[in-house]
Amino acid sequence: MKPIKGSIVAMVTPFHEDGSVNFEKLEEMIEFQIENSTDGILVLGTTGESTTMTHEEDDQVARFAIDKVHGRVPVIVGAGSNSTQTQLEKSIKYADMGADALLLISPYYNKANTQGMISHFSVCADQAKCPVILYNIPGRTGCSISEEVVKTLSKHPNICGIKEASGNISYATSIARYLSDDFAMYSGIDDMITSMLSIGASGVISVMSNILPGQTHEIVASFHQGDVQRSLDLQLQYLDVIHALFCEVNPIPVKAAMNLMGMDVGGYRLPLCEMDPKNHALLKQALQEQGLC
């Protein structure tokens, strides 16, 4: 598979009131995304609260999404872990289920030196039967995927890209020199989509797309069609919404936004909990100004 181009939604996981996964709602969300031009669907990422789900629930969500999408758009499954062995087992399992790609995170907490980091990803890419996307988000993991590691792994035949979510445009520009037809970069920050596209990113793996899939798609599509000004105008139009979606740790605000919009995706699993009332009011105001609730 060649790298995906466009807007990929980092899907929330909807819950019932008792905290169990709401698969009926998940199907509605999948159809909503596809009907509104999303270019790909990611499940079990940061936004999907996979860190509070059991391995059995992870497997159920992955299988459900792959089956329901049924090849209409690519499905990426988060298979990352700070244990390389766990990550390997998940990678093989989700590839065998039919995932189009895997999102693998750098090893949080235990971290790794350069060779350990390279091995952490390459062991999985060697054995999984679908492409791998690296995930750089040092604010959560406590370690960054160094430029040296990206340079090495960009040449791996089964590693097709990197989700860059550090927010550091200097770092993103440095690794942009390793992009090719077989290795893409995706913005992992919604307020930097157009900026990242300008240095060679192929698209975005987006939180905002949960509520604005068509608009997020259009930011990327406009840029690739040569209308950079429209891409920038849309980026700036939704800037207040984007900032409100990250006024507390993701995915607390985006789930609150979806509930305000009548999507009824449920609550959270501890340690995540309801928004501070002041931040909730800020979020609601930003949505109202765009006519979203």
Side-chain angles (χ1 to χ4, degrees):
M1 186 190 78
K2 288 291 184 182
I4 302 164
K5 199 171 191 178
S7 172
I8 300 160
V9 60
M11 189 88 77
V12 308
T13 301
F15 296 136
H16 290 291
E17 285 188 16
D18 65 1
S20 61
V21 177
N22 186 339
F23 287 98
E24 182 179 344
K25 182 61 63 175
L26 181 58
E27 182 173 7
E28 287 181 22
M29 290 163 49
I30 289 170
E31 295 305 322
F32 171 69
Q33 289 295 321
I34 293 174
E35 289 168 6
N36 286 277
S37 303
T38 203
D39 299 293
I41 289 173
L42 164 69
V43 293
L44 304 181
T46 303
T47 313
E49 294 180 77
S50 60
T51 52
T52 61
M53 292 163 60
T54 66
H55 292 319
E56 291 76 17
E57 288 173 323
D58 286 346
D59 295 350
Q60 290 167 359
V61 168
R63 185 176 289 108
F64 185 88
I66 292 165
D67 289 348
K68 293 300 179 182
V69 172
H70 198 61
R72 289 176 289 172
V73 296
V75 175
I76 304 167
V77 180
S81 174
N82 66 328
S83 162
T84 305
Q85 182 60 34
T86 300
Q87 179 169 270
L88 175 60
E89 292 167 3
K90 284 175 170 280
S91 296
I92 293 171
K93 184 187 301 182
Y94 298 149
D96 289 346
M97 281 183 191
D100 295 290
L102 305 168
L103 185 68
L104 304 185
I105 201 163
S106 58
Y108 47 88
Y109 189 75
N110 45 357
K111 305 183 182 181
N113 62 17
T114 297
Q115 187 53 53
M117 190 78 75
I118 291 170
S119 297
H120 176 72
F121 292 113
S122 59
V123 162
C124 300
D126 287 342
Q127 298 186 54
K129 296 177 183 176
C130 71
V132 163
I133 299 171
L134 314 176
Y135 185 8
N136 186 53
I137 184 165
R140 286 187 181 267
T141 63
C143 60
S144 182
I145 304 174
S146 71
E147 183 182 345
E148 180 181 354
V149 171
V150 175
K151 180 180 180 181
T152 299
L153 294 177
S154 68
K155 301 170 186 175
H156 192 291
N158 202 36
I159 295 179
C160 69
I162 181 168
K163 177 184 177 182
E164 205 315 88
S166 71
N168 185 339
I169 196 70
S170 178
Y171 168 86
T173 304
S174 294
I175 65 171
R177 70 185 95 189
Y178 309 120
L179 303 181
S180 67
D181 290 342
D182 299 311
F183 185 79
M185 179 165 62
Y186 302 95
S187 175
I189 307 289
D190 279 330
D191 65 4
M192 291 178 61
I193 302 172
T194 303
S195 300
M196 291 288 285
L197 292 170
S198 74
I199 59 170
S202 293
V204 61
I205 298 178
S206 170
V207 174
M208 174 174 69
S209 185
N210 280 281
I211 62 170
L212 293 167
Q215 294 87 336
T216 311
H217 164 85
E218 189 61 25
I219 291 173
V220 180
S222 295
F223 189 96
H224 287 316
Q225 292 162 6
D227 194 344
V228 176
Q229 188 60 54
R230 175 163 172 73
S231 176
L232 178 58
D233 289 345
L234 287 168
Q235 174 80 90
L236 297 178
Q237 178 180 340
Y238 294 107
L239 201 57
D240 288 344
V241 171
I242 294 167
H243 289 165
L245 289 175
F246 291 92
C247 68
E248 290 192 17
V249 67
N250 178 49
I252 292 174
V254 70
K255 276 191 141 179
M258 296 172 79
N259 289 331
L260 283 167
M261 294 169 65
M263 295 184 184
D264 300 325
V265 296
Y268 317 90
R269 289 185 178 179
L270 289 171
L272 301 187
C273 61
E274 298 296 327
M275 292 184 75
D276 177 277
K278 290 182 180 178
N279 289 333
H280 191 272
L282 181 153
L283 173 66
K284 185 175 182 179
Q285 179 181 350
L287 294 174
Q288 288 174 334
E289 288 174 354
Q290 292 294 334
L292 298 172
C293 74

